[in-house]
Amino acid sequence: MAAFTCSSRPPVSLRPEMRLSSSPRASLSARRLFSVLPESGGLRTRLLFSPASLTLKGPRVSRQRRGVVCEAQDTATDIPIVTDSTWESLVLKADGPVLVDFWAPWCGPCKMIDPIVNQLAQQYTGKFKFYKLNTDDSPSTPSQYGVRSIPTIMIFVNGEKKDTIIGAVPIQTLTASIDKFLQ
């Protein structure tokens, strides 16, 4: 996985409901303010202020520390994508067991379970096939299999659905389900 750095240099605007009272006795926890950068798509950053930076007019952010620097990991995976048109050839006619992760880009729990599925895909390389199906791009297959909430993980053996796991579950739950179908 590749790491990348993002930077933002425009002024940080504090959300009005999170403003700090001007009391000099404000606790350290009250000095933590959250800001949302408009160009970040909702990235929340935590700003910490020292007692010296607090004035009667409220907190100030120095020009030198106004920017936000963050590090994140690229979420691109090596797990192949399956679609409605490739479903039969990749999943139903596959040799050996297949795990399919039904997900959508807007789904928070899907993002939570994604690293776990990626780890399992590496761990079970050669023993299990892993695929991801974006339910927004390919709605026919999820409706055919009764997927009503995501993330949903299904395990297929010889084209037959054998197990379904719904929700962002711990790695132990997925490992137990996978191990049932390994010989």
Side-chain angles (χ1 to χ4, degrees), residues 10-39:
V12 175
S13 62
L14 299 175
R15 292 188 356 209
E17 68 272 13
M18 302 298 280
R19 294 227 184 251
L20 181 66
S21 69
S22 60
S23 167
R25 296 184 188 161
S27 69
L28 276 178
S29 62
R31 291 186 185 128
R32 285 191 194 119
L33 298 176
F34 293 94
S35 65
V36 179
L37 301 174
E39 71 281 355

Side-chain angles (χ1 to χ4, degrees), residues 49-107:
F49 297 98
S50 65
S53 70
L54 299 174
T55 65
L56 292 177
K57 295 179 183 177
R60 291 179 296 159
V61 179
S62 72
R63 290 191 181 269
Q64 295 172 347
R65 300 185 67 125
R66 185 176 4 185
V68 175
V69 177
C70 63
E71 287 186 16
Q73 291 187 347
D74 189 0
T75 56
T77 65
D78 293 331
I79 298 177
I81 304 295
V82 64
T83 63
D84 288 340
S85 59
T86 60
W87 179 262
E88 186 175 341
S89 63
L90 294 177
V91 177
L92 300 181
K93 294 183 179 180
D95 295 331
V98 177
L99 182 142
V100 180
D101 178 11
F102 293 87
W103 71 285
W106 48 263
C107 170

Side-chain angles (χ1 to χ4, degrees), residues 54-162:
L54 299 174
T55 65
L56 292 177
K57 295 179 183 177
R60 291 179 296 159
V61 179
S62 72
R63 290 191 181 269
Q64 295 172 347
R65 300 185 67 125
R66 185 176 4 185
V68 175
V69 177
C70 63
E71 287 186 16
Q73 291 187 347
D74 189 0
T75 56
T77 65
D78 293 331
I79 298 177
I81 304 295
V82 64
T83 63
D84 288 340
S85 59
T86 60
W87 179 262
E88 186 175 341
S89 63
L90 294 177
V91 177
L92 300 181
K93 294 183 179 180
D95 295 331
V98 177
L99 182 142
V100 180
D101 178 11
F102 293 87
W103 71 285
W106 48 263
C107 170
C110 298
K111 293 176 185 177
M112 289 171 47
I113 202 169
D114 188 58
I116 295 171
V117 174
N118 292 331
Q119 179 183 346
L120 291 173
Q122 291 176 358
Q123 182 179 337
Y124 289 98
T125 300
K127 300 175 187 175
F128 238 86
K129 292 184 180 176
F130 283 73
Y131 294 105
K132 295 179 91 47
L133 186 137
N134 184 334
T135 57
D136 289 342
D137 295 342
S138 300
S140 171
T141 302
S143 65
Q144 178 183 353
Y145 286 93
V147 175
R148 301 179 105 196
S149 61
I150 51 175
T152 294
I153 294 179
M154 289 188 185
I155 297 176
F156 294 83
V157 178
N158 297 326
E160 185 180 336
K161 182 175 81 166
K162 296 289 188 178

